[in-house]
Amino acid sequence: MAHIRTVKTSSRATAVQIVYSRRKGSRQIEHIGSARTDVELELLKTAARQKLAAGQGELDLGIQPPPEAGGPLRILSSRMGHLWDSLAAGYAVLGFDQAAGDEVFKQLVLARIVEPTSKFDTVRVLEEIGVPAASYPTIKRRLSLYSAIGWREQLAAACAAHVHLGPSTLVLFDVTTLYFETDEGDGFREPGFSKERRLEPQITVGLLSDANGFPLMVHAFEGNKAETKTMLPTLKAFMDTHGLHDVVIVADAGMVSEANMDAIEAAGLSYILGAKMPRVPYVIEQWRTNHPGADVPDGLTLTARWPGGPSTKGKDVTTFYQYAHDRGRRTIKGIETQVAKAESAVAGKASVKRNRFVQLTGGTRSVNRTLEEKAKALAGFKAYVTNLPDPDAEMVIGSYRRLFQIERSFRMAKSDLRARPIYHRKKDSIEAHLSIVFAAMAVGHWIEQTTGWSIKRFVKTARRYRTFSIAAGKHTITAIDPVPDDLAQALEAIKTKSGAH
């Protein structure tokens, strides 16, 4: 069984393979291409000395013999060549080299993908990668540039060009919060609603992506700004940046307040939105009236249409109500659990906590049976509203379900890239940090789409295989760790995709 390591010289076309034989404990040198005589001779002499000295005892005088005396070759440098070159290829394909034109920014973006850490510690990460790193004072000075107006817009323009953004492009929107370990707000970092139920000051981040979750724009808001008030400003900034008059915005029901809906319709934008159902819609009531006692079929889709008017810019509005059996089963189970708790609270057997089925009237507690009946009537149904002309239910619902892609992008940002700006306090540095995270998300997404691997798996695997520069006499040769077949295929996919670009 032979283990092969490929080495290349710094001269024009010199390459050798050193073949290690485990069975015989020997090694031999095979020549590839046209090797220069002096380098070939040097390598052969070194291998011969090592074979002659094999198995012979040595008197250790504490003196390190030079390579000419049969000792090991000296490694001048090593780098994570496969990993860094692949990430750099993605950075170039996305057009960030031209959009940013800043080597320090590129280092910060790619180093964050390899190991997300503080800006100070990023210098250490780059050194371990084998890339000459900018100094920390230089990095600090550059942050003000990355937070300047127009910097992130240039990156967003490159992303839009990459996905061939146009009026018919589906644009997904979602928000998340990033908290800070501090006690007091400062007007930007402020306590607000937190899905993680945290009390610390936070910021709200809105993300726009295409239908595949590729990031198109990141916008930061004050931490106490309601989620429903983030969509329109982000969307407007996005459209202004790209000179768009219309896009198809896709967002969850939690993002759509009545004011949001009015503003979207007043702007004449196209949308696919999750809709809330404050009451049982007529089409659902009608179906149940026509099918008394019947179970709702899985996948049943009911349609309601309203003709356009001045408030909708003449666009008809269509709502699809789709039933899913699994959703209904889970919802009914949750309703029954909450009703049981409400009954215990009304009977005085449990404290009254947040329970929508507990009704308080003049100090008297009771179970809200009307609400229970309505909730069970809607269990399993989900509403999707759109103003697209002649919409198809399958297309509308399928587009809405793509929202999991943007949720996945946020998971990448918060876990793999650790987007929380824990080491930043000022708004400018926070904005600069988000610019770096935004670009890192785009590169990571490109790697995942190109290789079929998660960015975490790709980084963890590729970073183990390094490229070495080795001194052989008066010459320098390059050695590359052999990579496993699956990684080789991933690297080839990156090479092919970046080469085609």
PDB file of all heavy atoms in Angstrom, residues 401-435:
ATOM      1  N   ARG A 401     -43.451  28.915   0.917  1.00  0.00           N
ATOM      2  CA  ARG A 401     -42.698  27.902   1.673  1.00  0.00           C
ATOM      3  C   ARG A 401     -41.196  28.056   1.505  1.00  0.00           C
ATOM      4  O   ARG A 401     -40.412  27.465   2.259  1.00  0.00           O
ATOM      5  CB  ARG A 401     -43.149  26.505   1.256  1.00  0.00           C
ATOM      6  CG  ARG A 401     -44.538  26.162   1.788  1.00  0.00           C
ATOM      7  CD  ARG A 401     -45.015  24.823   1.304  1.00  0.00           C
ATOM      8  NE  ARG A 401     -46.318  24.494   1.888  1.00  0.00           N
ATOM      9  CZ  ARG A 401     -47.068  23.474   1.503  1.00  0.00           C
ATOM     10  NH1 ARG A 401     -46.650  22.676   0.508  1.00  0.00           N
ATOM     11  NH2 ARG A 401     -48.232  23.239   2.081  1.00  0.00           N
ATOM     12  N   ARG A 402     -40.772  28.837   0.531  1.00  0.00           N
ATOM     13  CA  ARG A 402     -39.344  29.088   0.356  1.00  0.00           C
ATOM     14  C   ARG A 402     -38.778  29.967   1.470  1.00  0.00           C
ATOM     15  O   ARG A 402     -37.567  30.182   1.537  1.00  0.00           O
ATOM     16  CB  ARG A 402     -39.080  29.740  -1.000  1.00  0.00           C
ATOM     17  CG  ARG A 402     -39.166  28.782  -2.165  1.00  0.00           C
ATOM     18  CD  ARG A 402     -38.835  29.477  -3.469  1.00  0.00           C
ATOM     19  NE  ARG A 402     -38.741  28.535  -4.569  1.00  0.00           N
ATOM     20  CZ  ARG A 402     -37.639  27.887  -4.920  1.00  0.00           C
ATOM     21  NH1 ARG A 402     -36.524  28.092  -4.226  1.00  0.00           N
ATOM     22  NH2 ARG A 402     -37.618  27.050  -5.931  1.00  0.00           N
ATOM     23  N   LEU A 403     -39.655  30.478   2.331  1.00  0.00           N
ATOM     24  CA  LEU A 403     -39.164  31.296   3.438  1.00  0.00           C
ATOM     25  C   LEU A 403     -38.218  30.524   4.347  1.00  0.00           C
ATOM     26  O   LEU A 403     -37.422  31.124   5.070  1.00  0.00           O
ATOM     27  CB  LEU A 403     -40.343  31.834   4.261  1.00  0.00           C
ATOM     28  CG  LEU A 403     -41.089  33.029   3.652  1.00  0.00           C
ATOM     29  CD1 LEU A 403     -42.315  33.361   4.477  1.00  0.00           C
ATOM     30  CD2 LEU A 403     -40.179  34.245   3.545  1.00  0.00           C
ATOM     31  N   PHE A 404     -38.276  29.184   4.296  1.00  0.00           N
ATOM     32  CA  PHE A 404     -37.339  28.421   5.114  1.00  0.00           C
ATOM     33  C   PHE A 404     -35.909  28.674   4.651  1.00  0.00           C
ATOM     34  O   PHE A 404     -34.952  28.514   5.417  1.00  0.00           O
ATOM     35  CB  PHE A 404     -37.663  26.918   5.047  1.00  0.00           C
ATOM     36  CG  PHE A 404     -37.087  26.205   3.856  1.00  0.00           C
ATOM     37  CD1 PHE A 404     -35.836  25.607   3.925  1.00  0.00           C
ATOM     38  CD2 PHE A 404     -37.778  26.141   2.661  1.00  0.00           C
ATOM     39  CE1 PHE A 404     -35.298  24.956   2.830  1.00  0.00           C
ATOM     40  CE2 PHE A 404     -37.254  25.493   1.569  1.00  0.00           C
ATOM     41  CZ  PHE A 404     -36.003  24.898   1.652  1.00  0.00           C
ATOM     42  N   GLN A 405     -35.736  29.102   3.377  1.00  0.00           N
ATOM     43  CA  GLN A 405     -34.397  29.373   2.868  1.00  0.00           C
ATOM     44  C   GLN A 405     -33.781  30.572   3.576  1.00  0.00           C
ATOM     45  O   GLN A 405     -32.594  30.565   3.921  1.00  0.00           O
ATOM     46  CB  GLN A 405     -34.461  29.643   1.354  1.00  0.00           C
ATOM     47  CG  GLN A 405     -34.900  28.454   0.510  1.00  0.00           C
ATOM     48  CD  GLN A 405     -33.779  27.442   0.302  1.00  0.00           C
ATOM     49  OE1 GLN A 405     -32.726  27.528   0.931  1.00  0.00           O
ATOM     50  NE2 GLN A 405     -33.999  26.477  -0.575  1.00  0.00           N
ATOM     51  N   ILE A 406     -34.562  31.612   3.784  1.00  0.00           N
ATOM     52  CA  ILE A 406     -34.014  32.785   4.452  1.00  0.00           C
ATOM     53  C   ILE A 406     -33.802  32.496   5.939  1.00  0.00           C
ATOM     54  O   ILE A 406     -32.870  33.014   6.553  1.00  0.00           O
ATOM     55  CB  ILE A 406     -34.919  34.022   4.238  1.00  0.00           C
ATOM     56  CG1 ILE A 406     -34.156  35.298   4.572  1.00  0.00           C
ATOM     57  CG2 ILE A 406     -36.201  33.950   5.048  1.00  0.00           C
ATOM     58  CD1 ILE A 406     -34.858  36.566   4.143  1.00  0.00           C
ATOM     59  N   GLU A 407     -34.648  31.654   6.511  1.00  0.00           N
ATOM     60  CA  GLU A 407     -34.437  31.245   7.894  1.00  0.00           C
ATOM     61  C   GLU A 407     -33.132  30.462   8.008  1.00  0.00           C
ATOM     62  O   GLU A 407     -32.386  30.592   8.985  1.00  0.00           O
ATOM     63  CB  GLU A 407     -35.620  30.406   8.376  1.00  0.00           C
ATOM     64  CG  GLU A 407     -36.927  31.194   8.497  1.00  0.00           C
ATOM     65  CD  GLU A 407     -38.120  30.301   8.752  1.00  0.00           C
ATOM     66  OE1 GLU A 407     -37.934  29.076   8.779  1.00  0.00           O
ATOM     67  OE2 GLU A 407     -39.234  30.823   8.920  1.00  0.00           O
ATOM     68  N   ARG A 408     -32.851  29.665   6.990  1.00  0.00           N
ATOM     69  CA  ARG A 408     -31.591  28.911   6.951  1.00  0.00           C
ATOM     70  C   ARG A 408     -30.397  29.851   6.843  1.00  0.00           C
ATOM     71  O   ARG A 408     -29.351  29.631   7.452  1.00  0.00           O
ATOM     72  CB  ARG A 408     -31.625  27.943   5.769  1.00  0.00           C
ATOM     73  CG  ARG A 408     -30.445  27.006   5.680  1.00  0.00           C
ATOM     74  CD  ARG A 408     -30.704  25.937   4.634  1.00  0.00           C
ATOM     75  NE  ARG A 408     -29.525  25.124   4.409  1.00  0.00           N
ATOM     76  CZ  ARG A 408     -28.582  25.413   3.517  1.00  0.00           C
ATOM     77  NH1 ARG A 408     -28.696  26.498   2.774  1.00  0.00           N
ATOM     78  NH2 ARG A 408     -27.548  24.635   3.356  1.00  0.00           N
ATOM     79  N   SER A 409     -30.554  30.922   6.053  1.00  0.00           N
ATOM     80  CA  SER A 409     -29.482  31.907   5.932  1.00  0.00           C
ATOM     81  C   SER A 409     -29.214  32.578   7.278  1.00  0.00           C
ATOM     82  O   SER A 409     -28.063  32.816   7.650  1.00  0.00           O
ATOM     83  CB  SER A 409     -29.847  32.964   4.883  1.00  0.00           C
ATOM     84  OG  SER A 409     -29.914  32.397   3.589  1.00  0.00           O
ATOM     85  N   PHE A 410     -30.284  32.875   8.012  1.00  0.00           N
ATOM     86  CA  PHE A 410     -30.110  33.473   9.334  1.00  0.00           C
ATOM     87  C   PHE A 410     -29.434  32.492  10.288  1.00  0.00           C
ATOM     88  O   PHE A 410     -28.611  32.885  11.120  1.00  0.00           O
ATOM     89  CB  PHE A 410     -31.454  33.913   9.901  1.00  0.00           C
ATOM     90  CG  PHE A 410     -31.757  35.369   9.660  1.00  0.00           C
ATOM     91  CD1 PHE A 410     -33.015  35.767   9.251  1.00  0.00           C
ATOM     92  CD2 PHE A 410     -30.791  36.334   9.859  1.00  0.00           C
ATOM     93  CE1 PHE A 410     -33.303  37.113   9.041  1.00  0.00           C
ATOM     94  CE2 PHE A 410     -31.069  37.679   9.650  1.00  0.00           C
ATOM     95  CZ  PHE A 410     -32.325  38.073   9.236  1.00  0.00           C
ATOM     96  N   ARG A 411     -29.775  31.206  10.170  1.00  0.00           N
ATOM     97  CA  ARG A 411     -29.122  30.215  11.031  1.00  0.00           C
ATOM     98  C   ARG A 411     -27.633  30.164  10.732  1.00  0.00           C
ATOM     99  O   ARG A 411     -26.802  30.034  11.641  1.00  0.00           O
ATOM    100  CB  ARG A 411     -29.764  28.841  10.849  1.00  0.00           C
ATOM    101  CG  ARG A 411     -31.103  28.698  11.538  1.00  0.00           C
ATOM    102  CD  ARG A 411     -31.497  27.235  11.673  1.00  0.00           C
ATOM    103  NE  ARG A 411     -31.632  26.570  10.389  1.00  0.00           N
ATOM    104  CZ  ARG A 411     -32.739  26.562   9.669  1.00  0.00           C
ATOM    105  NH1 ARG A 411     -33.813  27.200  10.105  1.00  0.00           N
ATOM    106  NH2 ARG A 411     -32.802  25.936   8.513  1.00  0.00           N
ATOM    107  N   MET A 412     -27.284  30.226   9.440  1.00  0.00           N
ATOM    108  CA  MET A 412     -25.867  30.253   9.068  1.00  0.00           C
ATOM    109  C   MET A 412     -25.190  31.455   9.693  1.00  0.00           C
ATOM    110  O   MET A 412     -24.089  31.372  10.257  1.00  0.00           O
ATOM    111  CB  MET A 412     -25.702  30.315   7.543  1.00  0.00           C
ATOM    112  CG  MET A 412     -24.244  30.450   7.100  1.00  0.00           C
ATOM    113  SD  MET A 412     -24.048  31.043   5.401  1.00  0.00           S
ATOM    114  CE  MET A 412     -24.656  29.642   4.489  1.00  0.00           C
ATOM    115  N   ALA A 413     -25.847  32.611   9.618  1.00  0.00           N
ATOM    116  CA  ALA A 413     -25.256  33.840  10.134  1.00  0.00           C
ATOM    117  C   ALA A 413     -25.061  33.772  11.644  1.00  0.00           C
ATOM    118  O   ALA A 413     -24.038  34.209  12.174  1.00  0.00           O
ATOM    119  CB  ALA A 413     -26.119  35.039   9.762  1.00  0.00           C
ATOM    120  N   LYS A 414     -26.039  33.218  12.356  1.00  0.00           N
ATOM    121  CA  LYS A 414     -26.001  33.260  13.820  1.00  0.00           C
ATOM    122  C   LYS A 414     -25.192  32.112  14.416  1.00  0.00           C
ATOM    123  O   LYS A 414     -24.696  32.228  15.532  1.00  0.00           O
ATOM    124  CB  LYS A 414     -27.421  33.255  14.375  1.00  0.00           C
ATOM    125  CG  LYS A 414     -28.231  34.475  13.954  1.00  0.00           C
ATOM    126  CD  LYS A 414     -29.622  34.490  14.545  1.00  0.00           C
ATOM    127  CE  LYS A 414     -29.626  34.967  15.970  1.00  0.00           C
ATOM    128  NZ  LYS A 414     -30.989  35.237  16.475  1.00  0.00           N
ATOM    129  N   SER A 415     -25.040  31.004  13.669  1.00  0.00           N
ATOM    130  CA  SER A 415     -24.282  29.877  14.211  1.00  0.00           C
ATOM    131  C   SER A 415     -22.903  29.792  13.564  1.00  0.00           C
ATOM    132  O   SER A 415     -21.882  30.021  14.218  1.00  0.00           O
ATOM    133  CB  SER A 415     -25.053  28.571  14.007  1.00  0.00           C
ATOM    134  OG  SER A 415     -25.328  28.355  12.624  1.00  0.00           O
ATOM    135  N   ASP A 416     -22.839  29.486  12.267  1.00  0.00           N
ATOM    136  CA  ASP A 416     -21.554  29.299  11.601  1.00  0.00           C
ATOM    137  C   ASP A 416     -20.719  30.573  11.587  1.00  0.00           C
ATOM    138  O   ASP A 416     -19.496  30.527  11.728  1.00  0.00           O
ATOM    139  CB  ASP A 416     -21.757  28.816  10.160  1.00  0.00           C
ATOM    140  CG  ASP A 416     -22.455  27.463  10.100  1.00  0.00           C
ATOM    141  OD1 ASP A 416     -22.261  26.679  11.043  1.00  0.00           O
ATOM    142  OD2 ASP A 416     -23.189  27.204   9.139  1.00  0.00           O
ATOM    143  N   LEU A 417     -21.354  31.722  11.396  1.00  0.00           N
ATOM    144  CA  LEU A 417     -20.615  32.988  11.290  1.00  0.00           C
ATOM    145  C   LEU A 417     -20.668  33.810  12.573  1.00  0.00           C
ATOM    146  O   LEU A 417     -20.012  34.841  12.655  1.00  0.00           O
ATOM    147  CB  LEU A 417     -21.170  33.820  10.126  1.00  0.00           C
ATOM    148  CG  LEU A 417     -21.155  33.135   8.764  1.00  0.00           C
ATOM    149  CD1 LEU A 417     -21.746  34.057   7.714  1.00  0.00           C
ATOM    150  CD2 LEU A 417     -19.734  32.737   8.380  1.00  0.00           C
ATOM    151  N   ARG A 418     -21.465  33.374  13.543  1.00  0.00           N
ATOM    152  CA  ARG A 418     -21.580  34.072  14.826  1.00  0.00           C
ATOM    153  C   ARG A 418     -21.742  35.579  14.609  1.00  0.00           C
ATOM    154  O   ARG A 418     -20.897  36.383  14.993  1.00  0.00           O
ATOM    155  CB  ARG A 418     -20.356  33.796  15.699  1.00  0.00           C
ATOM    156  CG  ARG A 418     -20.193  32.326  16.053  1.00  0.00           C
ATOM    157  CD  ARG A 418     -18.994  32.105  16.929  1.00  0.00           C
ATOM    158  NE  ARG A 418     -18.608  30.699  16.962  1.00  0.00           N
ATOM    159  CZ  ARG A 418     -17.463  30.256  17.485  1.00  0.00           C
ATOM    160  NH1 ARG A 418     -16.610  31.111  18.018  1.00  0.00           N
ATOM    161  NH2 ARG A 418     -17.186  28.967  17.473  1.00  0.00           N
ATOM    162  N   ALA A 419     -22.851  35.912  13.991  1.00  0.00           N
ATOM    163  CA  ALA A 419     -23.061  37.295  13.566  1.00  0.00           C
ATOM    164  C   ALA A 419     -23.211  38.270  14.718  1.00  0.00           C
ATOM    165  O   ALA A 419     -23.066  39.473  14.525  1.00  0.00           O
ATOM    166  CB  ALA A 419     -24.314  37.367  12.676  1.00  0.00           C
ATOM    167  N   ARG A 420     -23.489  37.807  15.918  1.00  0.00           N
ATOM    168  CA  ARG A 420     -23.697  38.740  17.032  1.00  0.00           C
ATOM    169  C   ARG A 420     -22.441  39.572  17.254  1.00  0.00           C
ATOM    170  O   ARG A 420     -21.372  39.023  17.538  1.00  0.00           O
ATOM    171  CB  ARG A 420     -24.050  37.975  18.311  1.00  0.00           C
ATOM    172  CG  ARG A 420     -24.433  38.886  19.472  1.00  0.00           C
ATOM    173  CD  ARG A 420     -25.123  38.091  20.559  1.00  0.00           C
ATOM    174  NE  ARG A 420     -24.223  37.206  21.265  1.00  0.00           N
ATOM    175  CZ  ARG A 420     -23.568  37.531  22.383  1.00  0.00           C
ATOM    176  NH1 ARG A 420     -23.720  38.736  22.905  1.00  0.00           N
ATOM    177  NH2 ARG A 420     -22.786  36.667  22.980  1.00  0.00           N
ATOM    178  N   PRO A 421     -22.541  40.893  17.115  1.00  0.00           N
ATOM    179  CA  PRO A 421     -21.358  41.763  17.231  1.00  0.00           C
ATOM    180  C   PRO A 421     -20.966  41.986  18.685  1.00  0.00           C
ATOM    181  O   PRO A 421     -21.007  43.099  19.204  1.00  0.00           O
ATOM    182  CB  PRO A 421     -21.812  43.057  16.552  1.00  0.00           C
ATOM    183  CG  PRO A 421     -23.291  43.069  16.739  1.00  0.00           C
ATOM    184  CD  PRO A 421     -23.744  41.635  16.746  1.00  0.00           C
ATOM    185  N   ILE A 422     -20.548  40.917  19.325  1.00  0.00           N
ATOM    186  CA  ILE A 422     -20.323  40.943  20.773  1.00  0.00           C
ATOM    187  C   ILE A 422     -19.196  41.887  21.163  1.00  0.00           C
ATOM    188  O   ILE A 422     -19.182  42.448  22.252  1.00  0.00           O
ATOM    189  CB  ILE A 422     -20.035  39.506  21.272  1.00  0.00           C
ATOM    190  CG1 ILE A 422     -19.926  39.473  22.799  1.00  0.00           C
ATOM    191  CG2 ILE A 422     -18.788  38.939  20.639  1.00  0.00           C
ATOM    192  CD1 ILE A 422     -19.801  38.075  23.367  1.00  0.00           C
ATOM    193  N   TYR A 423     -18.218  42.096  20.268  1.00  0.00           N
ATOM    194  CA  TYR A 423     -17.059  42.918  20.610  1.00  0.00           C
ATOM    195  C   TYR A 423     -17.215  44.369  20.158  1.00  0.00           C
ATOM    196  O   TYR A 423     -16.275  45.143  20.233  1.00  0.00           O
ATOM    197  CB  TYR A 423     -15.797  42.323  19.984  1.00  0.00           C
ATOM    198  CG  TYR A 423     -15.542  40.899  20.412  1.00  0.00           C
ATOM    199  CD1 TYR A 423     -15.811  39.830  19.560  1.00  0.00           C
ATOM    200  CD2 TYR A 423     -15.063  40.606  21.689  1.00  0.00           C
ATOM    201  CE1 TYR A 423     -15.588  38.516  19.956  1.00  0.00           C
ATOM    202  CE2 TYR A 423     -14.844  39.305  22.096  1.00  0.00           C
ATOM    203  CZ  TYR A 423     -15.102  38.265  21.225  1.00  0.00           C
ATOM    204  OH  TYR A 423     -14.902  36.973  21.625  1.00  0.00           O
ATOM    205  N   HIS A 424     -18.386  44.736  19.672  1.00  0.00           N
ATOM    206  CA  HIS A 424     -18.593  46.084  19.143  1.00  0.00           C
ATOM    207  C   HIS A 424     -19.597  46.839  20.014  1.00  0.00           C
ATOM    208  O   HIS A 424     -20.583  46.277  20.479  1.00  0.00           O
ATOM    209  CB  HIS A 424     -19.090  46.014  17.698  1.00  0.00           C
ATOM    210  CG  HIS A 424     -18.102  45.359  16.778  1.00  0.00           C
ATOM    211  ND1 HIS A 424     -17.083  46.045  16.158  1.00  0.00           N
ATOM    212  CD2 HIS A 424     -17.975  44.060  16.374  1.00  0.00           C
ATOM    213  CE1 HIS A 424     -16.378  45.217  15.423  1.00  0.00           C
ATOM    214  NE2 HIS A 424     -16.890  44.005  15.538  1.00  0.00           N
ATOM    215  N   ARG A 425     -19.365  48.120  20.152  1.00  0.00           N
ATOM    216  CA  ARG A 425     -20.228  48.947  20.975  1.00  0.00           C
ATOM    217  C   ARG A 425     -20.818  50.121  20.198  1.00  0.00           C
ATOM    218  O   ARG A 425     -21.960  50.494  20.411  1.00  0.00           O
ATOM    219  CB  ARG A 425     -19.443  49.472  22.192  1.00  0.00           C
ATOM    220  CG  ARG A 425     -18.988  48.360  23.141  1.00  0.00           C
ATOM    221  CD  ARG A 425     -20.171  47.694  23.831  1.00  0.00           C
ATOM    222  NE  ARG A 425     -19.761  46.602  24.697  1.00  0.00           N
ATOM    223  CZ  ARG A 425     -19.745  45.333  24.335  1.00  0.00           C
ATOM    224  NH1 ARG A 425     -20.095  44.998  23.098  1.00  0.00           N
ATOM    225  NH2 ARG A 425     -19.380  44.391  25.187  1.00  0.00           N
ATOM    226  N   LYS A 426     -20.035  50.725  19.312  1.00  0.00           N
ATOM    227  CA  LYS A 426     -20.506  51.883  18.575  1.00  0.00           C
ATOM    228  C   LYS A 426     -21.269  51.461  17.327  1.00  0.00           C
ATOM    229  O   LYS A 426     -21.001  50.407  16.744  1.00  0.00           O
ATOM    230  CB  LYS A 426     -19.319  52.775  18.184  1.00  0.00           C
ATOM    231  CG  LYS A 426     -18.592  53.371  19.391  1.00  0.00           C
ATOM    232  CD  LYS A 426     -17.450  54.270  18.948  1.00  0.00           C
ATOM    233  CE  LYS A 426     -16.735  54.887  20.144  1.00  0.00           C
ATOM    234  NZ  LYS A 426     -15.607  55.759  19.723  1.00  0.00           N
ATOM    235  N   LYS A 427     -22.217  52.305  16.928  1.00  0.00           N
ATOM    236  CA  LYS A 427     -23.060  51.969  15.787  1.00  0.00           C
ATOM    237  C   LYS A 427     -22.243  51.762  14.527  1.00  0.00           C
ATOM    238  O   LYS A 427     -22.498  50.831  13.747  1.00  0.00           O
ATOM    239  CB  LYS A 427     -24.103  53.062  15.561  1.00  0.00           C
ATOM    240  CG  LYS A 427     -25.047  52.743  14.406  1.00  0.00           C
ATOM    241  CD  LYS A 427     -26.125  53.809  14.238  1.00  0.00           C
ATOM    242  CE  LYS A 427     -27.041  53.439  13.076  1.00  0.00           C
ATOM    243  NZ  LYS A 427     -28.107  54.441  12.871  1.00  0.00           N
ATOM    244  N   ASP A 428     -21.218  52.620  14.290  1.00  0.00           N
ATOM    245  CA  ASP A 428     -20.406  52.491  13.079  1.00  0.00           C
ATOM    246  C   ASP A 428     -19.697  51.145  13.017  1.00  0.00           C
ATOM    247  O   ASP A 428     -19.661  50.493  11.973  1.00  0.00           O
ATOM    248  CB  ASP A 428     -19.373  53.618  13.008  1.00  0.00           C
ATOM    249  CG  ASP A 428     -20.000  54.949  12.632  1.00  0.00           C
ATOM    250  OD1 ASP A 428     -21.190  54.939  12.258  1.00  0.00           O
ATOM    251  OD2 ASP A 428     -19.313  55.977  12.725  1.00  0.00           O
ATOM    252  N   SER A 429     -19.129  50.722  14.145  1.00  0.00           N
ATOM    253  CA  SER A 429     -18.416  49.436  14.147  1.00  0.00           C
ATOM    254  C   SER A 429     -19.393  48.274  14.003  1.00  0.00           C
ATOM    255  O   SER A 429     -19.061  47.241  13.405  1.00  0.00           O
ATOM    256  CB  SER A 429     -17.581  49.285  15.424  1.00  0.00           C
ATOM    257  OG  SER A 429     -18.407  49.265  16.573  1.00  0.00           O
ATOM    258  N   ILE A 430     -20.606  48.411  14.543  1.00  0.00           N
ATOM    259  CA  ILE A 430     -21.628  47.375  14.380  1.00  0.00           C
ATOM    260  C   ILE A 430     -22.034  47.263  12.913  1.00  0.00           C
ATOM    261  O   ILE A 430     -22.163  46.166  12.361  1.00  0.00           O
ATOM    262  CB  ILE A 430     -22.853  47.669  15.270  1.00  0.00           C
ATOM    263  CG1 ILE A 430     -22.477  47.553  16.749  1.00  0.00           C
ATOM    264  CG2 ILE A 430     -24.002  46.719  14.948  1.00  0.00           C
ATOM    265  CD1 ILE A 430     -23.551  48.028  17.694  1.00  0.00           C
ATOM    266  N   GLU A 431     -22.227  48.415  12.259  1.00  0.00           N
ATOM    267  CA  GLU A 431     -22.578  48.419  10.838  1.00  0.00           C
ATOM    268  C   GLU A 431     -21.453  47.800  10.000  1.00  0.00           C
ATOM    269  O   GLU A 431     -21.711  47.051   9.057  1.00  0.00           O
ATOM    270  CB  GLU A 431     -22.869  49.839  10.363  1.00  0.00           C
ATOM    271  CG  GLU A 431     -24.134  50.461  10.956  1.00  0.00           C
ATOM    272  CD  GLU A 431     -25.401  49.946  10.289  1.00  0.00           C
ATOM    273  OE1 GLU A 431     -25.325  49.033   9.447  1.00  0.00           O
ATOM    274  OE2 GLU A 431     -26.492  50.468  10.616  1.00  0.00           O
ATOM    275  N   ALA A 432     -20.194  48.115  10.339  1.00  0.00           N
ATOM    276  CA  ALA A 432     -19.061  47.524   9.618  1.00  0.00           C
ATOM    277  C   ALA A 432     -19.032  46.015   9.803  1.00  0.00           C
ATOM    278  O   ALA A 432     -18.783  45.255   8.854  1.00  0.00           O
ATOM    279  CB  ALA A 432     -17.752  48.147  10.117  1.00  0.00           C
ATOM    280  N   HIS A 433     -19.299  45.580  11.024  1.00  0.00           N
ATOM    281  CA  HIS A 433     -19.350  44.140  11.315  1.00  0.00           C
ATOM    282  C   HIS A 433     -20.436  43.459  10.477  1.00  0.00           C
ATOM    283  O   HIS A 433     -20.209  42.372   9.919  1.00  0.00           O
ATOM    284  CB  HIS A 433     -19.615  43.938  12.800  1.00  0.00           C
ATOM    285  CG  HIS A 433     -19.827  42.515  13.196  1.00  0.00           C
ATOM    286  ND1 HIS A 433     -18.804  41.618  13.373  1.00  0.00           N
ATOM    287  CD2 HIS A 433     -20.982  41.814  13.434  1.00  0.00           C
ATOM    288  CE1 HIS A 433     -19.296  40.439  13.700  1.00  0.00           C
ATOM    289  NE2 HIS A 433     -20.617  40.532  13.752  1.00  0.00           N
ATOM    290  N   LEU A 434     -21.610  44.085  10.357  1.00  0.00           N
ATOM    291  CA  LEU A 434     -22.687  43.491   9.565  1.00  0.00           C
ATOM    292  C   LEU A 434     -22.330  43.438   8.087  1.00  0.00           C
ATOM    293  O   LEU A 434     -22.759  42.524   7.374  1.00  0.00           O
ATOM    294  CB  LEU A 434     -23.979  44.283   9.778  1.00  0.00           C
ATOM    295  CG  LEU A 434     -24.624  44.159  11.166  1.00  0.00           C
ATOM    296  CD1 LEU A 434     -25.868  45.031  11.254  1.00  0.00           C
ATOM    297  CD2 LEU A 434     -24.969  42.707  11.482  1.00  0.00           C
ATOM    298  N   SER A 435     -21.554  44.406   7.601  1.00  0.00           N
ATOM    299  CA  SER A 435     -21.093  44.353   6.209  1.00  0.00           C
ATOM    300  C   SER A 435     -20.217  43.131   5.978  1.00  0.00           C
ATOM    301  O   SER A 435     -20.326  42.447   4.956  1.00  0.00           O
ATOM    302  CB  SER A 435     -20.313  45.626   5.855  1.00  0.00           C
ATOM    303  OG  SER A 435     -21.145  46.763   5.893  1.00  0.00           O
TER     304      SER A 435
END
